[in-house]
Amino acid sequence: MTTTYRAWAAPKAGAPLEPFEYDPGPLGADEVEITIEHCGLCHSDLSMLDNDWGFTAYPFVPGHEAVGRVTALGANARGVAPGQRVGLGWNTHSCLHCEQCLAGEQHLCREVQATLAGRHGAFAEKVRAHWVWVAPLPVGLEASESGPLLCGGITVFAPLRELGIAPTARVGVIGIGGLGHMALKFCRAWGCEVTAFTTSASKEEEARAFGAHRVVTTGDAAALKKLAGTFDLIIDTVNAALDWPGLMGALAPKGRLHVVGVPLEPVAVPAFSLISGQKSLSGSPTGSRGAIDSMLGFAARHGVAPQTEHFPMSRVNEALDHLRAGKARYRIVLDADF
Protein backbone atom coordinates (compact mmCIF):
# COMPACT_ATOMS: atom_id res chain seq x y z
CA MET A 1 0.00 0.00 0.00
CA THR A 2 1.34 3.45 -0.91
CA THR A 3 1.71 6.01 1.86
CA THR A 4 1.56 9.68 0.94
CA TYR A 5 2.54 12.63 3.11
CA ARG A 6 1.33 16.14 2.33
CA ALA A 7 3.84 18.92 2.84
CA TRP A 8 5.01 22.38 1.76
CA ALA A 9 8.09 22.42 -0.48
CA ALA A 10 10.22 24.89 -2.44
CA PRO A 11 10.99 23.73 -6.01
CA LYS A 12 14.21 25.80 -6.15
CA ALA A 13 16.37 28.13 -4.06
CA GLY A 14 14.45 31.07 -2.64
CA ALA A 15 11.16 30.08 -4.29
CA PRO A 16 7.83 30.24 -2.46
CA LEU A 17 6.70 26.98 -0.90
CA GLU A 18 4.05 25.01 -2.75
CA PRO A 19 1.77 22.11 -1.79
CA PHE A 20 3.74 18.90 -2.24
CA GLU A 21 3.13 15.20 -1.74
CA TYR A 22 5.64 12.39 -1.42
CA ASP A 23 5.86 8.71 -0.58
CA PRO A 24 8.16 8.20 2.44
CA GLY A 25 8.51 4.48 1.73
CA PRO A 26 8.25 1.70 4.34
CA LEU A 27 8.62 2.70 7.98
CA GLY A 28 12.07 1.65 9.20
CA ALA A 29 12.37 -0.81 12.07
CA ASP A 30 13.97 1.87 14.30
CA GLU A 31 11.77 4.74 13.12
CA VAL A 32 8.91 6.67 14.66
CA GLU A 33 6.21 8.39 12.64
CA ILE A 34 5.00 11.68 14.11
CA THR A 35 1.83 13.44 13.02
CA ILE A 36 2.67 17.14 13.20
CA GLU A 37 0.59 19.50 15.33
CA HIS A 38 3.01 22.45 15.42
CA CYS A 39 6.37 23.27 13.87
CA GLY A 40 8.64 26.20 14.65
CA LEU A 41 10.04 28.36 11.87
CA CYS A 42 13.75 28.97 12.42
CA HIS A 43 16.19 31.24 10.58
CA SER A 44 18.01 28.04 9.60
CA ASP A 45 14.95 27.13 7.54
CA LEU A 46 15.53 30.35 5.57
CA SER A 47 19.22 29.59 5.18
CA MET A 48 18.44 26.14 3.85
CA LEU A 49 15.63 27.44 1.61
CA ASP A 50 18.09 29.91 0.01
CA ASN A 51 20.88 27.28 -0.08
CA ASP A 52 23.16 29.63 1.87
CA TRP A 53 25.16 26.65 3.14
CA GLY A 54 25.43 24.89 -0.21
CA PHE A 55 23.85 21.49 0.53
CA THR A 56 20.11 21.97 0.10
CA ALA A 57 18.35 19.46 -2.17
CA TYR A 58 15.15 20.41 -4.00
CA PRO A 59 12.25 20.04 -3.79
CA PHE A 60 12.94 21.20 -0.25
CA VAL A 61 10.56 20.74 2.68
CA PRO A 62 11.76 22.89 5.61
CA GLY A 63 10.96 22.34 9.27
CA HIS A 64 12.96 20.98 12.20
CA GLU A 65 11.15 22.14 15.36
CA ALA A 66 8.29 19.66 15.29
CA VAL A 67 5.77 18.81 17.98
CA GLY A 68 3.11 16.15 17.45
CA ARG A 69 1.75 12.75 18.33
CA VAL A 70 3.32 9.35 17.69
CA THR A 71 1.15 7.57 15.12
CA ALA A 72 3.34 4.61 14.10
CA LEU A 73 6.33 2.72 15.50
CA GLY A 74 8.87 0.50 13.79
CA ALA A 75 9.42 -2.95 15.26
CA ASN A 76 12.58 -1.89 17.16
CA ALA A 77 11.50 1.62 18.22
CA ARG A 78 11.83 2.30 21.95
CA GLY A 79 11.09 5.00 24.46
CA VAL A 80 7.81 6.35 23.10
CA ALA A 81 4.29 5.01 22.70
CA PRO A 82 1.47 5.50 20.18
CA GLY A 83 -0.46 8.68 20.90
CA GLN A 84 2.34 10.18 23.01
CA ARG A 85 3.16 13.85 22.41
CA VAL A 86 6.79 14.23 21.36
CA GLY A 87 9.22 16.68 19.84
CA LEU A 88 11.84 16.45 17.09
CA GLY A 89 14.61 18.96 16.53
CA TRP A 90 17.49 19.51 14.09
CA ASN A 91 18.72 15.89 14.01
CA THR A 92 16.80 12.81 13.00
CA HIS A 93 19.34 9.92 12.69
CA SER A 94 22.87 9.06 13.91
CA CYS A 95 24.95 5.90 13.64
CA LEU A 96 24.84 4.92 17.37
CA HIS A 97 28.10 2.96 17.15
CA CYS A 98 30.85 5.61 16.76
CA GLU A 99 32.88 6.97 19.66
CA GLN A 100 30.76 10.10 19.90
CA CYS A 101 27.45 8.23 19.87
CA LEU A 102 28.66 5.74 22.48
CA ALA A 103 29.71 8.68 24.66
CA GLY A 104 26.18 10.09 24.48
CA GLU A 105 27.13 12.87 22.06
CA GLN A 106 25.05 11.73 19.11
CA HIS A 107 24.85 15.27 17.72
CA LEU A 108 28.61 15.08 17.00
CA CYS A 109 28.34 11.82 15.06
CA ARG A 110 30.04 12.01 11.65
CA GLU A 111 26.98 10.37 10.12
CA VAL A 112 24.38 12.49 11.90
CA GLN A 113 21.46 13.38 9.62
CA ALA A 114 19.51 16.60 9.82
CA THR A 115 15.73 16.52 9.80
CA LEU A 116 15.60 18.73 6.71
CA ALA A 117 18.80 17.78 4.83
CA GLY A 118 18.81 14.71 2.61
CA ARG A 119 15.21 14.11 3.60
CA HIS A 120 11.96 16.04 3.81
CA GLY A 121 11.40 18.15 6.92
CA ALA A 122 8.47 18.91 9.19
CA PHE A 123 6.47 21.52 7.28
CA ALA A 124 4.31 18.51 6.61
CA GLU A 125 1.48 16.50 8.05
CA LYS A 126 3.92 13.80 9.19
CA VAL A 127 7.65 13.27 9.69
CA ARG A 128 9.83 10.29 10.58
CA ALA A 129 12.93 9.90 12.73
CA HIS A 130 15.03 7.32 14.54
CA TRP A 131 13.52 6.77 17.98
CA VAL A 132 16.67 8.04 19.72
CA TRP A 133 15.94 11.56 18.44
CA VAL A 134 12.24 11.57 19.33
CA ALA A 135 11.91 13.30 22.70
CA PRO A 136 8.81 12.96 24.90
CA LEU A 137 7.49 16.35 26.01
CA PRO A 138 7.43 16.73 29.81
CA VAL A 139 4.24 17.55 31.64
CA GLY A 140 4.18 21.30 32.16
CA LEU A 141 5.31 22.33 28.70
CA GLU A 142 2.67 23.83 26.43
CA ALA A 143 2.83 21.82 23.21
CA SER A 144 1.89 24.74 20.96
CA GLU A 145 4.81 26.81 22.32
CA SER A 146 7.49 24.11 22.61
CA GLY A 147 8.67 23.69 19.01
CA PRO A 148 11.33 26.45 19.17
CA LEU A 149 12.87 24.82 22.25
CA LEU A 150 13.86 21.83 20.12
CA CYS A 151 16.36 23.84 18.04
CA GLY A 152 16.79 27.40 19.29
CA GLY A 153 16.27 26.42 22.91
CA ILE A 154 18.77 23.57 22.99
CA THR A 155 21.27 25.65 20.99
CA VAL A 156 21.48 28.28 23.74
CA PHE A 157 20.97 25.88 26.65
CA ALA A 158 23.73 23.46 25.62
CA PRO A 159 26.65 25.83 26.39
CA LEU A 160 25.43 26.28 29.98
CA ARG A 161 25.25 22.51 30.45
CA GLU A 162 28.23 21.35 28.41
CA LEU A 163 30.69 24.07 29.49
CA GLY A 164 29.97 23.67 33.19
CA ILE A 165 28.80 27.26 33.65
CA ALA A 166 28.25 28.04 37.32
CA PRO A 167 25.04 29.75 38.48
CA THR A 168 27.29 32.52 39.84
CA ALA A 169 28.75 33.24 36.38
CA ARG A 170 28.51 36.60 34.66
CA VAL A 171 27.09 35.95 31.21
CA GLY A 172 26.57 38.24 28.22
CA VAL A 173 24.11 37.46 25.42
CA ILE A 174 24.59 39.15 22.06
CA GLY A 175 21.33 39.66 20.19
CA ILE A 176 17.74 39.70 21.42
CA GLY A 177 16.19 37.71 18.61
CA GLY A 178 14.93 34.19 18.13
CA LEU A 179 17.95 32.65 19.87
CA GLY A 180 18.94 35.52 22.12
CA HIS A 181 15.65 36.02 23.94
CA MET A 182 15.66 32.32 24.90
CA ALA A 183 19.30 32.58 25.99
CA LEU A 184 18.36 35.44 28.34
CA LYS A 185 15.58 33.34 29.86
CA PHE A 186 17.73 30.24 30.31
CA CYS A 187 20.71 32.16 31.73
CA ARG A 188 18.51 33.98 34.24
CA ALA A 189 16.83 30.73 35.31
CA TRP A 190 20.29 29.11 35.57
CA GLY A 191 21.12 31.73 38.20
CA CYS A 192 23.60 33.84 36.23
CA GLU A 193 24.13 37.60 36.24
CA VAL A 194 22.91 38.38 32.72
CA THR A 195 23.82 41.23 30.36
CA ALA A 196 22.02 41.67 27.05
CA PHE A 197 23.79 43.22 24.05
CA THR A 198 21.42 44.66 21.44
CA THR A 199 21.64 46.95 18.43
CA SER A 200 18.30 48.47 19.39
CA ALA A 201 17.99 50.57 22.55
CA SER A 202 14.21 50.25 22.18
CA LYS A 203 14.50 46.58 23.17
CA GLU A 204 15.83 47.34 26.66
CA GLU A 205 12.49 46.87 28.42
CA GLU A 206 11.88 43.56 26.63
CA ALA A 207 15.42 42.38 27.36
CA ARG A 208 14.91 42.99 31.05
CA ALA A 209 11.57 41.18 30.92
CA PHE A 210 13.34 38.19 29.37
CA GLY A 211 15.84 38.10 32.23
CA ALA A 212 18.64 40.62 31.61
CA HIS A 213 20.00 42.46 34.64
CA ARG A 214 21.76 44.96 32.37
CA VAL A 215 21.40 46.04 28.73
CA VAL A 216 24.24 47.38 26.57
CA THR A 217 23.95 48.74 23.04
CA THR A 218 26.06 46.68 20.63
CA GLY A 219 28.57 48.86 18.83
CA ASP A 220 29.02 51.24 21.76
CA ALA A 221 32.80 50.92 22.06
CA ALA A 222 32.95 53.09 25.18
CA ALA A 223 30.36 50.97 26.99
CA LEU A 224 32.14 47.78 25.95
CA LYS A 225 35.46 49.15 27.19
CA LYS A 226 33.93 49.85 30.61
CA LEU A 227 33.03 46.17 30.80
CA ALA A 228 36.60 44.99 30.23
CA GLY A 229 37.40 41.84 32.19
CA THR A 230 33.75 41.29 33.21
CA PHE A 231 32.30 38.17 31.62
CA ASP A 232 32.87 34.50 32.28
CA LEU A 233 30.88 33.68 29.15
CA ILE A 234 29.55 35.64 26.19
CA ILE A 235 27.07 33.83 23.94
CA ASP A 236 26.90 35.24 20.41
CA THR A 237 23.53 34.45 18.84
CA VAL A 238 23.63 36.73 15.77
CA ASN A 239 24.58 36.13 12.14
CA ALA A 240 26.69 39.27 11.77
CA ALA A 241 30.31 40.41 12.08
CA LEU A 242 31.05 42.00 15.46
CA ASP A 243 33.79 43.82 17.32
CA TRP A 244 35.59 40.56 18.09
CA PRO A 245 38.67 42.11 19.78
CA GLY A 246 36.39 44.28 21.93
CA LEU A 247 34.34 41.29 22.99
CA MET A 248 37.45 39.29 23.85
CA GLY A 249 38.55 42.23 25.97
CA ALA A 250 35.24 42.12 27.84
CA LEU A 251 35.96 38.57 29.00
CA ALA A 252 37.31 37.86 32.47
CA PRO A 253 40.44 35.70 32.78
CA LYS A 254 39.59 32.19 31.50
CA GLY A 255 36.44 33.66 29.97
CA ARG A 256 34.91 32.26 26.80
CA LEU A 257 33.28 33.78 23.73
CA HIS A 258 30.91 31.11 22.45
CA VAL A 259 29.37 31.33 18.97
CA VAL A 260 25.98 29.79 18.16
CA GLY A 261 24.92 32.28 15.49
CA VAL A 262 26.27 31.72 11.99
CA PRO A 263 28.04 34.79 10.56
CA LEU A 264 29.13 34.00 7.01
CA GLU A 265 32.36 35.99 7.40
CA PRO A 266 35.33 34.56 9.36
CA VAL A 267 35.56 35.45 13.06
CA ALA A 268 38.70 37.59 13.23
CA VAL A 269 40.12 37.17 16.73
CA PRO A 270 43.76 38.19 17.36
CA ALA A 271 45.79 35.39 18.92
CA PHE A 272 47.08 37.62 21.69
CA SER A 273 43.52 38.26 22.90
CA LEU A 274 43.26 34.50 23.53
CA ILE A 275 46.67 34.12 25.10
CA SER A 276 46.32 37.10 27.44
CA GLY A 277 43.98 36.00 30.20
CA GLN A 278 43.90 32.41 28.94
CA LYS A 279 40.62 33.02 27.12
CA SER A 280 38.72 30.79 24.69
CA LEU A 281 36.74 31.07 21.49
CA SER A 282 34.34 28.20 20.82
CA GLY A 283 31.09 27.19 19.20
CA SER A 284 28.49 24.45 19.33
CA PRO A 285 25.58 23.03 17.32
CA THR A 286 22.32 21.96 18.95
CA GLY A 287 22.78 19.14 21.46
CA SER A 288 22.61 15.43 22.18
CA ARG A 289 19.37 13.65 22.93
CA GLY A 290 20.35 13.64 26.61
CA ALA A 291 20.93 17.40 26.51
CA ILE A 292 17.56 17.92 24.81
CA ASP A 293 15.79 15.95 27.53
CA SER A 294 17.69 17.93 30.18
CA MET A 295 16.72 21.22 28.52
CA LEU A 296 13.04 20.28 28.21
CA GLY A 297 12.90 19.25 31.86
CA PHE A 298 14.64 22.45 32.96
CA ALA A 299 12.26 24.55 30.85
CA ALA A 300 9.24 22.80 32.34
CA ARG A 301 10.45 23.28 35.92
CA HIS A 302 11.43 26.93 35.49
CA GLY A 303 8.68 28.08 33.16
CA VAL A 304 11.05 28.89 30.29
CA ALA A 305 9.20 29.26 27.00
CA PRO A 306 9.86 31.19 23.79
CA GLN A 307 7.83 34.24 22.88
CA THR A 308 5.95 33.19 19.77
CA GLU A 309 3.73 34.28 16.93
CA HIS A 310 1.48 31.70 15.26
CA PHE A 311 0.52 31.20 11.63
CA PRO A 312 -1.48 28.34 10.10
CA MET A 313 0.88 26.18 8.06
CA SER A 314 -1.19 27.00 4.98
CA ARG A 315 0.13 30.59 5.34
CA VAL A 316 3.73 29.43 5.50
CA ASN A 317 4.90 31.85 2.78
CA GLU A 318 3.47 34.77 4.73
CA ALA A 319 5.30 33.51 7.80
CA LEU A 320 8.57 33.19 5.83
CA ASP A 321 8.22 36.76 4.55
CA HIS A 322 7.54 37.95 8.11
CA LEU A 323 10.74 36.28 9.32
CA ARG A 324 12.80 37.42 6.34
CA ALA A 325 11.73 41.02 6.99
CA GLY A 326 13.01 40.78 10.56
CA LYS A 327 9.54 41.29 12.03
CA ALA A 328 9.28 38.07 14.07
CA ARG A 329 8.84 38.65 17.81
CA TYR A 330 10.54 36.36 18.54
CA ARG A 331 9.87 32.89 17.20
CA ILE A 332 7.26 31.81 14.67
CA VAL A 333 5.26 28.62 15.09
CA LEU A 334 3.24 27.05 12.27
CA ASP A 335 0.07 25.24 13.31
CA ALA A 336 -0.68 22.27 11.06
CA ASP A 337 -3.94 22.67 9.15
CA PHE A 338 -3.82 20.02 6.39
Side-chain angles (χ1 to χ4, degrees):
M1 185 177 73
T2 301
T3 300
T4 301
Y5 289 174
R6 292 172 293 175
W8 288 90
K12 61 182 180 179
L17 272 60
E18 304 171 350
F20 174 69
E21 294 186 359
Y22 73 96
D23 179 358
L27 183 68
D30 294 310
E31 287 190 316
V32 177
E33 179 188 79
I34 304 165
T35 295
I36 304 299
E37 297 174 321
H38 313 279
C39 188
L41 171 55
C42 174
H43 201 278
S44 295
D45 292 307
L46 275 183
S47 296
M48 287 290 291
L49 173 61
D50 295 342
N51 200 22
D52 287 344
W53 301 331
F55 57 82
T56 306
Y58 300 91
F60 169 64
V61 178
H64 60 279
E65 296 180 342
V67 171
R69 298 278 187 179
V70 174
T71 47
L73 293 170
N76 297 332
R78 300 289 184 270
V80 293
Q84 187 172 11
R85 183 169 276 132
V86 296
L88 176 68
W90 180 260
N91 294 318
T92 188
H93 287 74
S94 47
C95 78
L96 302 185
H97 59 76
C98 69
E99 180 179 352
Q100 286 71 34
C101 284
L102 293 175
E105 296 181 329
Q106 304 93 346
H107 63 304
L108 301 181
C109 172
R110 289 187 179 183
E111 298 178 21
V112 71
Q113 298 175 27
T115 302
L116 74 176
R119 63 185 61 247
H120 295 308
F123 289 3
E125 62 177 336
K126 296 183 180 183
V127 70
R128 293 178 179 178
H130 191 286
W131 63 267
V132 164
W133 288 103
V134 178
L137 285 193
V139 174
L141 284 184
E142 176 60 47
S144 64
E145 305 301 306
S146 296
L149 292 173
L150 296 158
C151 177
I154 183 58
T155 295
V156 297
F157 178 85
L160 301 176
R161 180 180 188 267
E162 304 303 327
L163 301 177
I165 301 303
T168 53
R170 295 161 297 179
V171 178
V173 175
I174 302 172
I176 307 173
L179 286 174
H181 89 285
M182 285 190 282
L184 294 175
K185 291 187 174 193
F186 275 120
C187 290
R188 181 63 178 256
W190 200 258
C192 301
E193 178 186 295
V194 187
T195 299
F197 291 87
T198 175
T199 56
S200 177
S202 64
K203 288 187 176 180
E204 178 170 352
E205 186 176 341
E206 281 185 300
R208 292 186 182 278
F210 292 143
H213 296 92
R214 173 171 51 194
V215 181
V216 176
T217 301
T218 304
D220 186 340
L224 193 57
K225 191 172 182 179
K226 289 179 181 178
L227 295 171
T230 296
F231 299 101
D232 302 299
L233 173 69
I234 297 175
I235 303 174
D236 171 27
T237 72
V238 301
N239 299 334
L242 299 169
D243 177 6
W244 306 114
L247 291 169
M248 295 302 295
L251 293 175
K254 294 189 176 181
R256 180 185 295 262
L257 174 58
H258 192 78
V259 179
V260 296
V262 189
L264 296 180
E265 299 175 7
V267 177
V269 173
F272 194 73
S273 67
L274 296 172
I275 296 168
S276 176
Q278 200 172 317
K279 300 171 184 178
S280 302
L281 172 66
S282 58
S284 60
T286 55
S288 67
R289 168 58 197 281
I292 291 169
D293 286 347
S294 177
M295 176 273 302
L296 291 173
F298 184 90
R301 288 191 300 276
H302 293 275
V304 175
Q307 181 169 310
T308 64
E309 299 177 82
H310 286 254
F311 289 76
M313 198 171 286
S314 57
R315 289 167 53 198
V316 61
N317 287 310
E318 183 181 338
L320 285 164
D321 290 343
H322 190 65
L323 178 60
R324 198 183 291 276
K327 296 180 180 178
R329 293 293 183 270
Y330 279 90
R331 301 290 290 201
I332 295 172
V333 174
L334 302 176
D335 301 318
D337 60 345
F338 289 96

